[in-house]
Structures are given as structure tokens and as C-alpha cells.
Amino acid sequence: MNADLSDLLRLLQNMIRLGTIAEVDGAKARVQLGPKLTTEWLNWLTPRAGSTRCWSAPTVGEQVIVFSPGGDLTRGIILPALYSQAFDAPELNQAIHTTHYPDGAVVQYDHAAHALTSTLPGGTATITADKVTSNAPSTICTGDLTVMGNLLVKQSATVNGATALNGGVNAKAGAAGSVAMAVQGTVKASDDVLAGAISLAKHPHSGVKAGGDQSGGPQA
């Protein structure tokens, strides 16, 4: 009877156990439940595992809960996770939803400030889609911007740094009689400049006389 009671108490104790991740291999992990007790390879709970799937592997040393049906640890399921001294809460502000990664990357939304931020130290962000639309009234790029295809500007664009256009520029006035392009400063052309059919480099001059007289205006 005492043996049966001890066995029953052991099964009850094993139904819910706290531990830390000892090993991770693929989609399974082992949990350290005590100085001399480590589980078999167990699955961990994930938000979705059907046609929509989520993936976020636990970290060695991360504190978790193991639920074992009937107290059988071989059938345990890992429930991540609990904050611990090894991995403390990254934020204490209740208005912030954030994910911190081991390389220092942070994705964070502050619903009180309506601010979405993403920090990728030394990394890249890639979006693959047929079309990307931004409805923001203002977009600021603090670094270099490289456009591999065509650049179409419907309204206006402000560039404070140098601009290299390797495919040519086609500027069209927005309304009849308006200016298509206004340049404040010097314009340099390595070849020629045309105003209508008039060549800046090759157009003829009328009324030319010898001496110090000036010629007349350009002729078409």
C-alpha cells in the first residue's frame, strides 16, 4: 500500500513540473527537471502547427513547464516559458509588445506612442512581393537609396545628398505652363543640351561681325 501511494504521489508530482531546457534538437527538446532528472526528447507547444505554422525554438537554459498526462514524463509536453534570472523580462512597460533576439535585433510596438520600430544590427531586411504600398504622407531615408529599376515620382521627392541617375531622366510638368524642372545652381553636360531643336553646343549665330561685336541670338 505504501508503495502504491508513493507511486501515485510521484505520478501526481510529475504531471506539472518546472525545469530548464537542457538540449534542443530539431523540433524537440530535453528539459532538466532536477540535478539528476532530464526528460526524454519532447515536443514544445507552438501557436500554430497546421497549414499555418509558427517556429521559435526554445533556448538552452530557458525556464519552461512540462505537462505530463497521467504523470508519464515520456509523454510530456513543453510549455515555454517563464522569465528567470538567466533570461529576465526585456521590458516592464505594459504598453510595449517586443521581441528581442540574441544578436541584439529588436522588433517592438508601443501602442501608447503608436510607434513601430525594428532594429537589425548589421543585418538585412528583405520584402518579396508583387507590389509594396506605403500610404505614409512622409517617408525619410537617412542612408543611401539604390533603385535598380525605374524611379517614378508622381508628386515630389526631396534628396539632400548626391543623386546618380544611370538610366536618364524624363521630367514632365504637372500642369500646363508649369515648370518641369527648376535647377538652383550650375548645370554641367558632358555632351550637349537641346532646347527644342536648338543645340547649345552646335547652334549657329546670326549677325556675326569681326572684332569685338557680339553675335545675335541662337537660330533654330
Side-chain angles (χ1 to χ4, degrees), residues 22 27 43 49 51 171-172 187:
N43 292 316
S51 58
K172 181 179 180 181
V187 177

Side-chain angles (χ1 to χ4, degrees), residues 96-139:
I96 290 178
H97 179 270
T98 183
T99 302
H100 290 230
Y101 296 91
D103 65 345
V106 178
V107 179
Q108 180 171 292
Y109 180 68
D110 184 343
H111 66 79
H114 311 294
L116 176 65
T117 59
S118 177
T119 302
L120 305 176
T124 60
T126 302
I127 299 176
T128 302
D130 292 335
K131 184 178 181 180
V132 177
T133 301
S134 173
N135 293 321
S138 177
T139 301

Side-chain angles (χ1 to χ4, degrees), residues 62-182:
E62 185 174 358
Q63 188 166 273
V64 297
I65 303 173
V66 177
F67 291 99
S68 301
D72 184 0
L73 290 176
T74 62
R75 297 191 296 146
I77 300 173
I78 303 171
L79 173 64
L82 301 172
Y83 295 125
S84 63
Q85 290 183 347
F87 299 101
D88 200 1
E91 293 286 344
L92 297 178
N93 189 338
Q94 297 182 15
I96 290 178
H97 179 270
T98 183
T99 302
H100 290 230
Y101 296 91
D103 65 345
V106 178
V107 179
Q108 180 171 292
Y109 180 68
D110 184 343
H111 66 79
H114 311 294
L116 176 65
T117 59
S118 177
T119 302
L120 305 176
T124 60
T126 302
I127 299 176
T128 302
D130 292 335
K131 184 178 181 180
V132 177
T133 301
S134 173
N135 293 321
S138 177
T139 301
I140 299 174
C141 180
T142 59
D144 295 337
L145 176 64
T146 302
V147 180
M148 303 303 294
N150 297 326
L151 177 63
L152 304 177
V153 180
K154 298 293 186 180
Q155 296 293 331
S156 64
T158 300
V159 180
N160 292 323
T163 302
L165 302 173
N166 298 321
V169 179
N170 184 4
K172 181 179 180 181
S178 62
V179 177
M181 180 181 295

Side-chain angles (χ1 to χ4, degrees), residues 171-205:
K172 181 179 180 181
S178 62
V179 177
M181 180 181 295
V183 179
Q184 299 176 2
T186 303
V187 177
K188 295 182 179 181
S190 61
D191 193 349
D192 199 355
V193 177
L194 299 176
I198 300 176
S199 167
L200 179 63
K202 303 175 182 178
H203 66 273
H205 292 263

Side-chain angles (χ1 to χ4, degrees), residues 4-17:
D4 292 339
L5 180 59
S6 297
D7 190 53
L8 178 60
L9 291 175
R10 179 183 60 82
L11 293 175
L12 289 174
Q13 183 183 26
N14 286 339
M15 291 181 68
I16 303 177
R17 296 289 299 265

